[in-house]
Amino acid sequence: MTILKIRGGDLDLVEYDFTSFHPGENMNTCGFEKSYSLSPVQTPVRTQAPGRIHLTVLDMNRFAPGQPGGGGIGFAIDVFAEVEVRCIEKGFEINYSRPAIIKHFLLVYSKTVGYTGGFSVTAKDHDYKHVGLGSTSTILTALSAAVNRALGDPLTLDQLRILIGNNYVEETEGGMIAYGFETGVGPAVSGRGGMAILGDNLTVVHQHIFAKGKNVHIVIPPSSISSAGEEEFSLLMNKARSLDYRDRELKAYIVMMDFIPALNQDDLKKMGDSMWEMEFRGSKRAEIEHHSFELYQYMHKLRKAGLEFIGMSSVGPSIAVITDMSREKLSSILTPLQLEIAVSTQVNNTGLVFL
């Protein structure tokens, strides 16, 4: 497998070997293992979890594959993943397009609570792929709550969130898996809804209702640059870490002194101003410039058109617009820019529900 070198500063060089492994290997039970009183139910348990927009990492120097953290900001939206779980005598029956990540979490969870039976799982992603809406973290949030309820809820929602973060994997070739990068924002907002600000080690610093009733439009500008692949990933991570060394204190100050107070006051414009400032700082700048400076031009023109809150989701190039403006009205602004809306939905302030 690929070995990537990530440099964050003159004295910081990380060499990471992206080694694939089988589901059930390298499990981390996070110290939650003990003798639980389990009460398996015979009827199926169904859950629905909202997707997420990940606005920014706070410090890319504080996480790595297999080491969750880094802090981050994100919110839940009304696109949903659904999972149905049923207890069976033994083994795992998985009906999902990426069975390895499901199997791995089932093994982690079973080891944590001491469950020796099996599960039948049917999972369905939300319908929007590769636009920065967090399909993996959303499906794992729905899965974790379903299997937990099927055994009588031995773990809390926060414990499930920590388990997901410390065992976050993506599927590779041949049914293998590998550690991915995880800030914990996805499970936090998918579990409880709203906007969440996380610190290091998956710590929820603040969570609050966000932009209730507002529209969320996802716009995907043209970009010939991929965020996948060895060369692109290495370039992005090296530049992003270096810029976060320089700007992380300022980003933390903006979050504490401007963004969180505006969130509590439901001041969408002030939150948008704070996020716009962070689009030019640290790792977010590296992510945007990775696609081209033209993304800044698109985002600037949208702000000039009066849109309150604009931010690039994850590693882009998708742009999330939160506004009162309807899809039709926004489309009239986007057409001269040769842009289109890929997804129109709303902020979700409810989080995970049982169906």
Side-chain angles (χ1 to χ4, degrees), residues 55-56 73 75 195 210-211 214 254-255 258-281 284 299-300 302-304 306-312 319-323:
L55 292 168
T56 187
I73 304 173
F75 61 94
M195 174 80 77
F210 170 61
K214 301 290 185 182
I254 292 171
V255 170
D258 296 309
F259 192 84
I260 289 177
L263 175 61
N264 285 2
Q265 296 162 10
D266 195 26
D267 190 336
L268 185 62
K269 184 182 183 304
K270 187 173 181 181
M271 281 186 281
D273 291 343
S274 298
M275 186 52 57
W276 183 240
E277 181 70 24
M278 283 192 281
E279 297 291 320
F280 295 88
R281 308 297 172 198
K284 202 68 201 177
M299 295 166 76
H300 175 69
L302 293 177
R303 280 181 58 83
K304 293 289 285 183
L307 297 169
E308 303 97 309
F309 190 112
I310 298 164
M312 192 180 79
I319 296 172
V321 177
I322 302 97
T323 178

Side-chain angles (χ1 to χ4, degrees), residues 156-187:
T156 67
L157 189 60
D158 275 334
Q159 286 176 315
L160 294 175
R161 182 176 62 80
I162 298 300
L163 273 185
I164 292 171
N166 282 279
N167 295 277
Y168 186 84
V169 296
E170 297 285 0
E171 196 162 27
T172 59
E173 296 179 357
M176 304 280 278
I177 54 177
Y179 283 124
F181 287 89
E182 173 63 358
T183 64
V185 166

Side-chain angles (χ1 to χ4, degrees), residues 27-344:
M27 295 188 292
N28 184 354
T29 59
C30 304
F32 298 151
E33 279 188 82
K34 67 176 186 179
S35 179
Y36 291 94
S37 178
L38 305 179
S39 304
V41 298
Q42 301 305 311
T43 55
V45 177
R46 292 181 61 208
T47 55
Q48 182 186 74
R52 62 97 176 108
I53 296 291
H54 198 300
L55 292 168
T56 187
V57 178
L58 294 180
D59 186 2
M60 282 197 177
N61 298 283
R62 298 293 290 269
F63 74 169
Q67 180 184 321
I73 304 173
F75 61 94
I77 59 173
D78 278 344
V79 299
F80 300 99
E82 294 185 7
V83 169
E84 180 178 285
V85 167
R86 180 169 52 87
C87 294
I88 59 178
E89 185 175 346
K90 62 180 180 178
F92 301 135
E93 300 171 0
I94 301 171
N95 180 17
Y96 181 58
S97 58
R98 295 178 290 163
I101 65 172
I102 298 288
K103 182 179 180 181
H104 185 65
F105 184 81
L106 293 177
L107 288 165
V108 170
Y109 179 83
S110 297
K111 181 180 180 182
T112 301
V113 301
Y115 178 61
T116 57
F119 293 109
S120 173
V121 176
T122 299
K124 180 181 180 296
D125 281 320
H126 55 63
D127 295 328
Y128 306 103
K129 304 293 194 302
H130 310 302
V131 292
L133 304 188
S135 58
T136 300
S137 65
T138 306
I139 207 76
L140 289 175
T141 301
L143 172 69
S144 67
V147 296
N148 195 51
R149 177 61 55 90
L151 295 183
D153 288 326
L155 299 182
T156 67
L157 189 60
D158 275 334
Q159 286 176 315
L160 294 175
R161 182 176 62 80
I162 298 300
L163 273 185
I164 292 171
N166 282 279
N167 295 277
Y168 186 84
V169 296
E170 297 285 0
E171 196 162 27
T172 59
E173 296 179 357
M176 304 280 278
I177 54 177
Y179 283 124
F181 287 89
E182 173 63 358
T183 64
V185 166
V189 299
S190 292
R192 293 196 168 95
M195 174 80 77
I197 295 94
L198 272 75
D200 206 23
N201 296 321
L202 310 177
T203 303
V204 177
V205 174
H206 191 66
Q207 192 153 9
H208 198 274
I209 290 173
F210 170 61
K212 189 174 182 180
K214 301 290 185 182
N215 296 317
V216 180
H217 304 292
I218 309 299
V219 179
I220 307 181
S223 174
S224 60
I225 305 297
S226 171
S227 294
E230 176 185 346
E231 185 174 340
E232 292 85 2
F233 177 84
S234 181
L235 171 66
L236 178 61
M237 284 304 299
N238 279 283
K239 184 174 183 180
R241 285 168 58 88
S242 180
L243 288 176
D244 268 350
Y245 258 118
R246 188 187 71 182
D247 290 341
R248 57 189 175 185
E249 291 91 349
L250 176 59
K251 290 164 71 176
Y253 181 87
I254 292 171
V255 170
M256 289 292 293
M257 301 303 290
D258 296 309
F259 192 84
I260 289 177
L263 175 61
N264 285 2
Q265 296 162 10
D266 195 26
D267 190 336
L268 185 62
K269 184 182 183 304
K270 187 173 181 181
M271 281 186 281
D273 291 343
S274 298
M275 186 52 57
W276 183 240
E277 181 70 24
M278 283 192 281
E279 297 291 320
F280 295 88
R281 308 297 172 198
S283 52
K284 202 68 201 177
R285 172 182 163 185
E287 291 170 342
I288 292 177
E289 291 181 0
H290 180 62
H291 291 282
S292 78
F293 285 97
E294 195 171 8
L295 258 69
Y296 278 127
Q297 295 179 10
Y298 287 130
M299 295 166 76
H300 175 69
K301 288 176 180 178
L302 293 177
R303 280 181 58 83
K304 293 289 285 183
L307 297 169
E308 303 97 309
F309 190 112
I310 298 164
M312 192 180 79
S313 180
S314 192
V315 293
S318 299
I319 296 172
V321 177
I322 302 97
T323 178
D324 282 320
M325 196 174 291
S326 68
R327 182 186 181 103
E328 292 71 25
K329 178 63 175 175
L330 180 58
S331 293
S332 69
I333 296 172
L334 294 175
T335 299
L337 302 177
Q338 297 183 316
L339 298 177
E340 295 181 353
I341 298 172
V343 182
S344 283

